[in-house]
Amino acid sequence: MEAPVFDIQRFSVHDGPGIRTLVFLKGCGLRCPWCSNPESQLSQPQLMLYPEKCIGCHKCLEVCEFGAIFVEGEQLHYNRQLCRACGKCAEVCPAEARKLVGKYVDVDYVIKEIEKDALFYRNSGGGVTFGGGEPALFPEFVKAISTECRKRGINVAIETCGYAPWRNLKTIAASVDLIMFDLKHMDAHTHRKLCGHSNKLILDNLEKLCTLGGNEIIVRMPIIPGLNDEEENIHNTAEFVLSLGGAISRIELLPYHKFGIKKYERLGMLYQIEDVEVPSDEHMIAIRKIMEKYGLNVKIV
């Protein structure tokens, strides 16, 4: 059993309790313009370029079989449309100016990586968090690893945008301790405009998860100025969470940041909201206070 993974990050303290290992799966059905991991959106491997590292050795040119790398004048050029992401150019590049992002790995490989930090999990109450991308696109893979982790006493969490078939989320929910569930916007039309799809499936899935029991559920809301931070949406989000009958342990507000912009350039992708400003501390606090008036536990992270 295999799934595409683009990173396994150790010693994280931001995505669940304690010290955690983050397993980033590759593939997502949404296309949120603020996504800080654009390499997570497609399930297939992709080539990231670091032209500032290039030393002009032309080793990549020698191994490219598809004509994607060529010399024009004295400059080395790359045609992404011709590239098949085979990774050969990245393998021979001595300066690491090319990096293949994403590879298929099996369950045993991931478990061995997770077990490297078992001592830290025990001492900190940490564990493993599956993110991405969307882990619910690979339910059997996540379930198999999660089941083995829980046998070893390792806490398991997932970060999900909720845009996946209900059967997938139900399969995973039975084998994890914590579900961090994103809510981007409560209006279906606006959600489609922002993320590429309506939020109906997402809201339905969250309601169903809340009826299952057995998991802690945290709602996470990215705050993107001018896109989803209007007061009406803040009120509507709080009212929806309140309607879930106390099944949500807290809401986490995630301020928009620009840490992933450079990745878009390296992947040959356009970053669409470069003019959006990072929200001020005062703005984040004002949003938190609105939600707290509904009696909700709200945290800015």
Side-chain angles (χ1 to χ4, degrees):
M1 189 184 301
E2 295 184 332
V5 170
F6 72 88
D7 195 14
I8 297 179
Q9 179 181 316
R10 299 165 66 191
F11 302 109
S12 173
V13 293
H14 300 294
D15 298 271
I19 296 172
R20 308 190 73 80
T21 295
L22 307 185
V23 179
F24 292 94
L25 289 140
K26 199 168 179 343
C28 181
L30 298 184
R31 292 293 181 268
C32 306
W34 55 83
C35 179
S36 60
N37 288 326
E39 70 273 39
S40 74
Q41 295 178 5
L42 301 178
S43 59
Q44 63 264 36
Q46 292 171 277
L47 193 67
M48 293 188 77
L49 302 182
Y50 299 79
E52 70 277 9
K53 295 183 178 181
C54 179
I55 59 175
C57 68
H58 288 194
K59 290 185 181 295
C60 57
L61 178 64
E62 296 168 5
V63 299
C64 182
E65 300 176 3
F66 306 103
I69 303 170
F70 58 96
V71 175
E72 194 173 274
E74 296 182 357
Q75 295 293 319
L76 197 66
H77 295 271
Y78 169 61
N79 187 327
R80 193 172 288 274
Q81 281 67 44
L82 296 176
C83 180
R84 297 296 180 271
C86 67
K88 290 182 179 179
C89 61
E91 291 174 3
V92 301
C93 180
E96 298 184 344
R98 295 167 175 271
K99 178 184 177 183
L100 190 66
V101 181
K103 64 178 180 179
Y104 275 83
V105 298
D106 61 23
V107 169
D108 289 340
Y109 174 89
V110 177
I111 290 174
K112 287 176 182 177
E113 290 296 308
I114 292 170
E115 285 185 321
K116 290 179 180 179
D117 293 326
L119 179 62
F120 295 104
Y121 309 148
R122 286 195 292 271
N123 291 341
S124 70
V128 60
T129 298
F130 292 93
E134 177 48 62
L137 296 182
F138 312 95
E140 297 300 334
F141 181 80
V142 174
K143 178 183 177 181
I145 298 171
S146 299
T147 300
E148 290 301 316
C149 285
R150 295 180 86 182
K151 287 179 182 177
R152 294 161 169 78
I154 298 173
N155 178 276
V156 182
I158 65 164
E159 296 175 320
T160 177
C161 71
Y163 189 74
W166 165 242
R167 63 181 179 275
N168 292 19
L169 282 165
K170 186 177 181 181
T171 295
I172 292 175
S175 61
V176 304
D177 303 289
L178 170 64
I179 299 172
M180 290 173 278
F181 196 106
D182 284 1
L183 290 181
K184 275 68 158 156
H185 206 288
M186 292 304 298
D187 180 75
H189 175 75
T190 304
H191 195 281
R192 182 185 296 277
K193 183 178 177 180
L194 289 174
C195 306
H197 293 280
S198 164
N199 63 358
K200 185 180 186 307
L201 175 63
I202 294 167
L203 300 182
D204 287 349
N205 281 339
L206 181 54
E207 289 179 334
K208 290 175 181 177
L209 282 172
C210 289
T211 64
L212 288 180
N215 308 103
E216 179 184 2
I217 302 176
I218 295 172
V219 162
R220 288 185 142 190
M221 183 180 181
I223 301 300
I224 320 298
L227 297 184
N228 76 337
D229 66 332
E230 65 272 20
E231 278 200 30
E232 182 180 6
N233 186 49
I234 302 304
H235 283 287
N236 289 343
T237 302
E239 289 171 2
F240 177 72
V241 172
L242 194 64
S243 74
L244 298 174
I248 306 301
S249 63
R250 70 174 176 270
I251 297 177
E252 293 186 347
L253 303 177
L254 285 63
Y256 166 70
H257 61 74
K258 300 191 177 188
F259 300 149
I261 289 182
K262 197 67 177 178
K263 293 182 180 181
Y264 285 80
E265 180 182 335
R266 300 195 187 286
L267 289 167
M269 298 170 63
L270 176 66
Y271 191 75
Q272 302 175 46
I273 59 169
E274 197 162 354
D275 293 337
V276 172
E277 296 297 327
V278 173
S280 66
D281 292 344
E282 292 78 12
H283 186 50
M284 295 300 300
I285 291 170
I287 292 172
R288 186 192 69 196
K289 288 181 177 179
I290 290 173
M291 290 187 156
E292 286 177 336
K293 289 180 180 179
Y294 289 83
L296 301 170
N297 179 14
V298 186
K299 180 181 179 183
I300 301 170
V301 297

